[in-house]
Amino acid sequence: MFAFEIYSPEEEIFHPLFKEKEVRVFLKRDDMIHPFISGNKWRKLKYNLIKAREEDKNHLITFGGVWSNHLLATACAAAKFGFKATAFVRGEGVASETLFLCRMFGMELKFTERDAYRNKRLLFDTFYSNDTSAFFIDEGGAGAEAVQGCSELVTELKGNYQHIFCAAGTGTTAAGILKGLLINNSRALLHVIPVLKGAEFLKEEVNKHFIDNPLYEIHNSYHFGGYAKTQPDLLNFISDFSASTGILADQVYTGKMMYGVFDLIRQDYFPSGTNILAVHTGGLFGLLGLKEKMTFKTQSGH
Ligand SMILES: *Cc1c(COP(=O)(O)O)cnc(C)c1O
């Protein structure tokens, strides 16, 4: 329905640690799907857009924070596929490069104070109950449509991997990958790295998409203090990672996931000969939030 052929190769990355531990690490480059409709956000949007089109609704209404990859993806996808888009943005008087780009793609932003923001259905009903063209897309694109979209990632895989890693916010992407593993009769084990602190809710969020609880592992110690929180250790890691691979990882999602992958390899979690696939879920503009915070070992100016 949407003429958009995606490109997301599996790419091996190299590091002395992998050599020492005799493991191979590959990235599923969902960050290459599109510069703005990036990573899991395209996968989560795809079936929502198809549904909106089928229901003849051409105004996407969605929700997100100031650095939301979902908002940027929705703004660009709406422009590309001929929808109108409006977003409720959490917080008043907030600004970011991400929101600037959303505006460039023609998205209308409604800045919403935090209490009102919590009840998204109420916001939608208050503003759009009489608008027959309005189509509700939950924050981050959660829901069955999103799970279906993410499951396709597994179907695309060409290589053989014993272990697959992904970062988790809501856990929708993780649920989609698990669905994909089931559909494809894959025996790979999914490892989930929550980026929020206290992610006990995550198991429930993932399992609700299944009749029988699927098997996977959650590694709960790589959140670095909570959502979008960082520590110098993490910041050093992501700049080293980018400088040694030519691939960016952000501090909110994929940086924490890759930190976990490296840490578990260092701890001999995997036997030698293991092939690991980490899903690069994209969404790199949040990195710009670090502009002032980042320090580099070799500062410019000699
Ligand atoms: C939104 C996002 C996630 C989290 O996905 P969930 O489905 O909410 O778990 C992971 N990585 C990136 C880059 C994201 O933008």
Side-chain angles (χ1 to χ4, degrees), residues 42-282:
W42 164 246
R43 298 190 184 278
K44 292 170 85 169
L45 271 173
K46 180 178 169 188
Y47 289 98
N48 276 298
L49 298 186
I50 289 173
K51 194 171 170 206
R53 186 78 13 115
E54 278 168 1
E55 294 178 8
D56 217 11
K57 299 192 165 173
N58 69 357
H59 186 184
L60 310 176
I61 315 292
T62 196
F63 308 84
V66 63
W67 291 105
S68 168
N69 297 323
H70 164 68
L71 287 191
L72 181 54
T74 307
C76 183
K80 187 175 172 73
F81 299 118
F83 293 93
K84 216 179 117 174
T86 301
F88 290 92
V89 180
R90 185 176 55 234
E92 287 168 314
V94 292
S96 69
E97 279 81 350
T98 298
L99 293 180
F100 166 73
L101 291 172
C102 287
R103 282 214 157 109
M104 286 299 294
F105 289 122
M107 179 179 251
E108 184 196 346
L109 304 181
K110 287 181 181 292
F111 294 94
T112 312
E113 56 96 15
R114 277 151 204 276
D115 281 336
Y117 181 85
R118 263 181 218 120
N119 197 336
K120 303 184 179 66
R121 274 287 170 190
L122 182 63
L123 278 173
F124 182 81
D125 291 342
T126 306
F127 286 84
Y128 298 103
S129 57
N130 293 322
D131 181 350
T132 53
S133 70
F135 185 83
F136 176 95
I137 300 180
D138 207 345
E139 177 170 29
E145 288 79 13
V147 170
Q148 185 187 356
C150 291
S151 75
E152 295 177 349
L153 177 167
V154 180
T155 310
E156 291 164 20
L157 292 180
K158 296 186 175 77
N160 269 315
Y161 311 99
Q162 289 92 40
H163 302 275
I164 299 179
F165 278 80
C166 75
T170 63
T172 310
T173 303
I177 293 171
L178 287 165
K179 257 264 144 92
L181 292 173
L182 267 178
I183 294 168
N184 291 282
N185 286 316
S186 168
R187 298 186 56 200
L189 180 63
L190 179 68
H191 298 259
V192 181
I193 310 272
V195 303
L196 285 85
K197 195 171 165 177
E200 283 76 33
F201 76 96
L202 192 67
K203 230 179 175 116
E204 212 172 296
E205 280 300 305
V206 172
N207 291 349
K208 77 178 185 195
H209 295 281
F210 298 88
I211 299 163
D212 297 318
N213 288 346
L215 194 69
Y216 55 97
E217 287 188 29
I218 295 183
H219 301 278
N220 237 327
S221 49
Y222 301 110
H223 56 69
F224 290 89
Y227 182 74
K229 296 281 194 309
T230 63
Q231 287 165 16
D233 216 20
L234 175 68
L235 298 184
N236 288 334
F237 173 80
I238 61 172
S239 57
D240 285 349
F241 178 82
S242 302
S244 66
T245 60
I247 297 167
L248 291 171
D250 75 310
Q251 75 280 19
V252 182
Y253 293 107
T254 50
K256 289 180 180 178
M257 173 193 68
M258 286 314 300
Y259 189 102
V261 172
F262 274 69
D263 194 51
L264 291 167
I265 291 173
R266 199 170 289 118
Q267 293 174 32
D268 295 312
Y269 196 87
F270 307 102
S272 66
T274 301
N275 284 353
I276 297 163
L277 178 78
V279 179
H280 196 312
T281 37

